[in-house]
Amino acid sequence: MNWEFNDFIKVKDVGPRDGLQMEKAWIPTEEKINIINALSKTGVTGIQVTSLVHPKAVPQLADAEEVMRNIDRQSGVLYSVLVPNERGAQRAVPMKADEWELMHSVTESHSLANANKKVEESLKEHEKVVKLAHEHNVKVQGGMATALGCPFEGKVSFERVLYVAEAYYSMGIRSISIADTIGVADPKLVYTTLKRLIDQFPDVEFSLHLHNTRGMAIANVLAGIDAGVRAFDASIGGLGGCPYAPGATGNVSTEDLVHMLDLMNIPNGIDLKRLLELSKHVEKVVGHPLESAIFKAGPAGQLQAAPTVQEKISK
């Protein structure tokens, strides 16, 4: 890796959607709005605000319309919503989100578990969503779940990943997110997969959506950067998971990602101090400890008062 790297890295916080969707206790709508408004002022380039899945499937996000209607949008921040199907797209139109995010499973078994459709059927549905988005001048990002590992099928061939990427490309999509849905990817796999995709589709912006289930997300970020990725999803406090992927835990923490980029002098435009202040509030809202290592331990370089005498050791 070129350690003198200084390209700007874009960070989208997906906590309000991917993070909060896994919370069992209801998060008041007002608190969701407050968190999004606070995130808007940290310097993140994008926020995944909510999802248009059926409320029965994800009750936590049943207030999608109210949240989108009442957030304070900041210039320079892209506000996106997850759109699962044509019905969700119709709900999304009046929300006037900056971007619709699709999420398509690369493997057949996860597609059936997540969308109750085979891969080909899901792609046909997404063609309708993209058509509607273009009619309303909305940007579209194609998401690829289980692209780096599936809870039901294990390792995923590059040919499967390429198949979905080509399908998105044929729809006119030029922004694609590659997801390690269950956190099983390693840096070599991330590098080789993203390098091949970027070489094959040079006019597509590829981003990475990495879950930290096995503590590999930060290492995988570096592998992605080395491959040419310049956009990453992250979640405040490391919140998150997937209700249809057994064993999946939270996304890479936004705080941990920004902390690493700052230490390496990689431009990202995010105020880590402000982010950590928000994390304190988020922890109170969700009512349980956050996964972020930096939130727990504090930033590197945060010094403690030195003792004046050696503390006696009791025997």
Side-chain angles (χ1 to χ4, degrees):
M1 181 173 178
N2 176 17
W3 298 107
E4 298 305 315
F5 170 89
N6 60 5
D7 287 355
F8 187 86
I9 295 297
K10 296 195 289 187
V11 178
K12 177 193 293 180
D13 195 292
V14 299
R17 194 284 300 181
D18 200 355
L20 295 185
Q21 74 172 3
M22 295 300 290
E23 296 300 319
K24 295 179 180 178
W26 172 252
I27 307 298
T29 302
E30 184 179 347
E31 286 292 359
K32 293 172 185 169
I33 293 168
N34 289 338
I35 291 170
I36 293 163
N37 288 344
L39 275 172
S40 297
K41 298 174 183 177
T42 62
V44 295
T45 55
I47 299 173
Q48 190 183 59
V49 176
T50 189
S51 170
L52 282 306
V53 296
H54 195 286
K56 288 184 179 179
V58 184
Q60 187 65 252
L61 304 180
D63 54 0
E65 281 85 356
E66 188 175 354
V67 170
M68 279 296 291
R69 188 166 54 246
N70 290 287
I71 57 173
D72 295 327
R73 303 193 191 195
Q74 299 292 319
S75 175
V77 180
L78 184 148
Y79 297 90
S80 64
V81 295
L82 185 70
V83 177
N85 48 40
E86 187 179 18
R87 195 169 191 174
Q90 290 166 350
R91 283 180 62 196
V93 169
M95 293 182 176
K96 299 189 182 302
D98 299 312
E99 181 180 70
W100 292 356
E101 294 188 51
L102 310 181
M103 184 52 69
H104 186 284
S105 303
V106 170
T107 59
E108 292 289 352
S109 54
H110 188 262
S111 184
L112 288 169
N114 190 51
N116 199 30
K117 289 183 176 67
K118 293 183 177 180
V119 168
E120 192 62 35
E121 293 174 321
S122 183
L123 286 172
K124 292 291 184 185
E125 182 80 15
H126 282 170
E127 287 178 2
K128 299 175 184 176
V129 175
V130 173
K131 183 176 182 293
L132 190 60
H134 289 166
E135 288 174 0
H136 292 274
N137 298 313
V138 182
K139 295 178 182 177
V140 180
Q141 181 183 72
M144 296 169 60
T146 64
L148 298 169
C150 175
F152 311 113
E153 299 181 27
K155 292 184 178 180
V156 179
S157 70
F158 181 75
E159 287 68 29
R160 289 298 303 171
V161 176
L162 184 60
Y163 174 74
V164 177
E166 287 177 334
Y168 276 149
Y169 193 86
S170 68
M171 296 178 203
I173 293 174
R174 297 296 181 267
S175 173
I176 298 176
S177 172
I178 305 299
D180 181 18
T181 309
I182 55 171
V184 292
D186 61 82
K188 182 179 179 181
L189 175 63
V190 170
Y191 177 84
T192 55
T193 300
L194 272 298
K195 187 73 169 63
R196 292 178 72 180
L197 287 171
I198 290 169
D199 288 346
Q200 187 130 352
F201 304 96
D203 57 336
V204 171
E205 180 184 52
F206 285 97
S207 61
L208 274 167
H209 180 99
L210 302 166
H211 285 252
N212 199 38
T213 314
R214 291 163 181 83
M216 298 285 280
I218 284 290
N220 289 335
V221 167
L222 285 177
I225 290 174
D226 201 20
V229 179
R230 299 293 181 264
F232 295 87
D233 289 353
S235 177
I236 185 76
L239 294 173
C242 176
Y244 304 105
T249 59
N251 292 270
V252 60
S253 157
T254 310
E255 303 94 302
D256 294 351
L257 173 56
V258 171
H259 178 256
M260 181 189 72
L261 295 175
D262 284 352
L263 286 177
M264 297 174 70
N265 294 317
I266 297 177
N268 59 85
I270 299 175
D271 186 331
L272 180 59
K273 183 178 179 181
R274 181 169 281 187
L275 204 58
L276 288 169
E277 289 172 355
L278 175 58
S279 298
K280 293 178 184 177
H281 178 70
V282 170
E283 185 176 57
K284 291 178 182 178
V285 171
V286 298
H288 61 77
L290 301 180
E291 295 298 321
S292 166
I294 302 308
F295 178 69
K296 295 175 184 176
Q302 181 175 286
L303 304 179
Q304 306 296 323
T308 54
V309 294
Q310 184 179 21
E311 192 173 321
K312 291 184 178 179
I313 301 174
S314 58
K315 294 183 180 181

